[in-house]
Amino acid sequence: MISSSDSGARDPDPLIRVLPFILAAIPLFAVYLAGAFATATLAVAGLGGLWIAWRERNVPILAALACAAGLAGLLAIQGSDKEVEAILFAAASIGAVVCRRLPRWVSRRDLDRAATVFMASATALPVLLVAQAQFLYADSIPPFCITPDALAKPTFIAMALVAPAMALLWQRRHWGAALAFLVFMAILAFGSSSSTATLAYTLTLLTLVLAWVRPGLGVAVIVAVLCAPLVISLAIQVSNLTDWTVIDLRSSWLIRLELWQRALVLFEQAPLFGHGLDSFADLAPLIDLGPLDLGTGRYHPHAAVMQVLAEGGLVALVALALLLRLLTDRPAFSARWPVAVRLAALAAAVTPPAIGINIWSDFTVALVVYPWLICALFVAATEPDTRRQGSERRKPCTREA
């Protein structure tokens, strides 16, 4: 294996060499549209991973991607849009895993330059969002806020990039800029019209501190935010609550509680395999919740774990747990700081799907995959590999024949 500190790692072709710079600039797509960010992330990660696998002659990865493409094609003929999207999301995730090997192919200098591009785009995104809000959405900004709900998704992206952008600024000893960025993001988070964005920022800082002390504590925060809707739903069911007015919450959160109750009932009806992908919107309105029925209509459950349980059962929950294991696993020979940053970015990234957005959307996949990949490439790969250097100093002498 050739490390990122080598000057000419595997003689990369121009496409592979430019790939880190494209990945670094993707946050700027969110200024235009969150969907453009998602499309760019999945396309670049998928195609980039495919090209790297081809150059490496990695037969298992190429076979997996070929099977995914073939299966997506067959499902497209049958008109199963959601199933096609799920397969393509899986292919993009595989591509993102392969893209983690970029440090083997590009030089340390190119990675450092791409990290600079990422810092510029990640710090420019929230500034441009605030400017866009003030000039284009001034009439729709709620009181005591600086951004409207229409910019919630780009704000989610900005919150997921707080940890890696701040870490790179700190690594390069731009301490004043790092602290100023954190303060500005706090103002954006607490001045956002989305409580989810506020929670994501708070969990970023909490996870960063806890994961720096011990990585397992950071993983615990991620698991807790994902499982909170299930715990709350079970508590409501056990308590035999019959009137939502007992809970003093605004209507948007009461609707969430009701949706989670419907998802829990659907899970209890089919606990092993669920009711099928994207079936919640059709089946949930048919459930009679009695006095707790708010008549929410056709929605997704606004919670990743509840949606997985209702539509895929325990089998899908195990698959989600395995994915979480992949995303939170501590890689070998990595320092504590990059691991803490990656877990903090993931905590912010999983917060919106944990309590809000549809888990099957391309935006959700991109929101989780992108900061994970950025941390693996720019934060971890550009961190000085002190363990490797130390092992070279302690390398035993070989006996001559």
Side-chain angles (χ1 to χ4, degrees):
M1 172 178 153
I2 300 176
S3 71
S4 60
S5 59
D6 296 325
S7 58
R10 289 200 185 182
D11 189 25
D13 57 38
L15 286 176
I16 291 181
R17 186 173 182 179
V18 79
L19 184 56
F21 295 92
I22 298 175
L23 285 168
I26 283 178
L28 295 178
F29 284 88
V31 178
Y32 170 69
L33 189 69
F37 163 84
T39 301
T41 298
L42 298 183
V44 172
L47 296 176
L50 178 63
W51 186 250
I52 293 172
W54 174 260
R55 288 298 306 272
E56 290 182 341
R57 301 297 187 267
N58 192 321
V59 176
I61 294 295
L62 291 173
L65 293 175
C67 290
L71 183 58
L74 290 175
L75 290 173
I77 295 175
Q78 298 178 354
S80 305
D81 293 338
K82 280 297 178 182
E83 286 78 1
V84 172
E85 290 177 4
I87 296 298
L88 293 179
F89 296 164
S93 300
I94 295 172
V97 173
V98 179
C99 283
R100 285 186 60 188
R101 300 175 185 174
L102 274 173
R104 305 181 186 182
W105 286 90
V106 299
S107 67
R108 177 64 175 268
R109 178 178 298 177
D110 280 343
L111 275 180
D112 284 339
R113 289 173 175 172
T116 301
V117 173
F118 168 74
M119 280 192 301
S121 59
T123 52
L125 171 59
V127 176
L128 293 173
L129 285 179
V130 172
Q132 186 179 13
Q134 298 301 319
F135 284 103
L136 300 180
Y137 297 93
D139 295 337
S140 59
I141 298 177
F144 309 107
C145 293
I146 58 176
T147 58
D149 190 60
L151 296 180
K153 285 188 175 181
T155 307
F156 297 159
I157 298 168
M159 296 305 158
L161 302 182
V162 168
M166 184 274 298
L168 288 170
L169 287 169
W170 197 267
Q171 281 180 9
R172 299 183 181 205
R173 299 185 178 182
H174 302 315
W175 297 312
L179 293 176
F181 177 65
L182 279 180
V183 171
F184 180 81
M185 293 305 295
I187 295 172
L188 176 60
F190 290 93
S192 170
S193 60
S194 171
S195 55
T196 302
T198 306
L199 179 61
Y201 179 82
T202 305
L203 290 178
T204 292
L205 298 186
L206 176 64
T207 306
L208 186 64
V209 173
L210 293 179
W212 187 82
V213 175
R214 181 168 295 183
L217 296 176
V219 176
V221 174
I222 296 172
V223 173
V225 70
L226 284 169
C227 293
L230 176 60
V231 174
I232 293 172
S233 300
L234 288 172
I236 291 175
Q237 191 177 74
V238 170
S239 66
N240 294 319
L241 183 71
T242 58
D243 189 355
W244 288 122
T245 59
V246 176
I247 304 176
D248 186 19
L249 291 173
R250 64 185 187 184
S251 60
S252 62
W253 282 99
L254 289 179
I255 290 174
R256 281 182 170 86
L257 295 180
E258 192 225 29
L259 292 171
W260 298 347
Q261 284 298 301
R262 294 182 185 276
L264 184 59
V265 172
L266 288 176
F267 166 63
E268 292 169 345
Q269 292 175 353
L272 192 56
F273 297 106
H275 292 271
L277 180 64
D278 204 36
S279 59
F280 179 87
D282 294 324
L283 297 178
L286 304 179
I287 297 173
D288 183 11
L289 291 180
L292 296 181
D293 199 328
L294 296 177
T296 49
R298 298 185 76 259
Y299 282 93
H300 59 82
H302 283 69
V305 167
M306 302 307 294
Q307 188 165 6
V308 164
L309 287 174
E311 299 181 355
L314 292 175
V315 173
L317 185 64
V318 171
L320 179 64
L322 292 175
L323 175 61
L324 185 65
R325 168 66 177 170
L326 171 66
L327 296 177
T328 58
D329 189 32
R330 179 172 181 169
F333 307 112
S334 88
R336 180 168 55 177
W337 175 243
V339 172
V341 172
R342 185 176 63 170
L343 292 176
L346 279 173
V350 301
T351 298
I355 60 173
I357 59 180
N358 192 335
I359 191 175
W360 305 123
S361 70
D362 55 352
F363 177 78
T364 302
V365 179
L367 181 64
V368 176
V369 163
Y370 184 78
W372 170 78
L373 183 55
I374 289 302
C375 288
L377 289 181
F378 301 140
V379 178
T382 57
E383 181 82 2
D385 195 352
T386 55
R387 181 176 296 194
R388 184 184 60 80
Q389 294 170 358
S391 64
E392 287 179 353
R393 287 195 297 268
R394 296 189 299 270
K395 186 176 182 180
C397 297
T398 56
R399 182 178 299 177
E400 295 182 358

